[in-house]
Amino acid sequence: MITLYAADSPNVLKIFLALEETALPYRTIPIDVMAGAQFDPAFRAISPNAKVPVIVDEDGPGTESVTVFESGAILIYLAEKVGNFLPHGKIARSEAIQWLMLQSSSIGPMFGQFMHFFRYAPQGNDYALARYRTQIFQLLDVLETRLGQSAWVGGRDYGIAD
């Protein structure tokens, strides 16, 4: 059984989708980040950066319990666990991981920063809004180009980069 420590966020949604796609049994423990529950010492013990998502797989390799934090790392772990959603060949696997890392290091953060300044920051952040809007459009162009060349973002088959 996998335990998913979750809140309402795009990174957590990726893990919900992956768990459903892999058909692995799981349960969810909500973490109230608005109340600061992510800073509880017990949660920090499994999430050093005090962020969701985190999974604990009670049926890890060799029947050992395994804890995995960071959405990209969780997606790779789940794909490897079920032997699907990540190509096995070295070149195709590298390609899929590159696209997954683009999402983790660029798409997610740039969209997140834009939404922060658009929705929550005080007025007068025109520079930040313009900067992140430009980044979003550039990243959407990258994805559009990729999907013009490949059936899926991560490669020939549907996988964790999609």
Side-chain angles (χ1 to χ4, degrees):
M1 172 72 73
I2 293 174
T3 302
L4 170 59
Y5 294 84
D8 184 17
S9 79
N11 282 329
V12 173
L13 179 58
K14 291 186 282 190
I15 306 310
F16 275 120
L17 292 170
L19 287 165
E20 289 295 322
E21 290 288 331
T22 59
L24 291 166
Y26 69 95
R27 68 184 179 115
T28 305
I29 296 180
I31 302 297
D32 188 351
V33 296
M34 298 309 284
Q38 71 274 28
F39 300 113
D40 180 88
F43 184 71
R44 294 287 305 257
I46 62 170
S47 180
N49 199 25
K51 298 208 181 268
V52 291
V54 176
I55 64 167
V56 176
D57 182 3
E58 298 299 329
D59 302 313
T63 66
E64 292 183 39
S65 178
V66 175
T67 300
V68 185
F69 63 94
E70 290 294 331
S71 60
I74 294 169
L75 291 170
I76 291 169
Y77 176 84
L78 294 173
E80 289 177 342
K81 181 175 178 77
V82 298
N84 198 3
F85 305 109
L86 184 60
H88 298 287
K90 288 183 180 184
I91 293 171
R93 179 183 172 86
S94 174
E95 181 180 37
I97 290 173
Q98 289 173 63
W99 286 99
L100 176 62
M101 294 302 111
L102 178 75
Q103 192 290 318
S104 296
S105 66
S106 295
I107 294 170
M110 293 299 115
F111 279 62
Q113 291 298 321
F114 175 78
M115 292 310 297
H116 168 79
F117 284 102
F118 183 76
R119 287 190 178 163
Y120 304 112
Q123 294 292 324
N125 290 295
D126 295 340
Y127 172 80
L129 284 169
R131 175 183 172 12
Y132 291 117
R133 184 179 295 112
T134 299
Q135 292 296 311
I136 286 172
F137 286 137
Q138 188 268 331
L139 288 164
L140 289 172
D141 285 344
V142 169
L143 287 174
E144 190 70 30
T145 299
R146 173 62 173 171
L147 290 171
Q149 302 165 344
S150 177
W152 299 96
V153 173
R156 188 181 59 176
D157 299 312
Y158 173 67
I160 60 174
D162 301 289

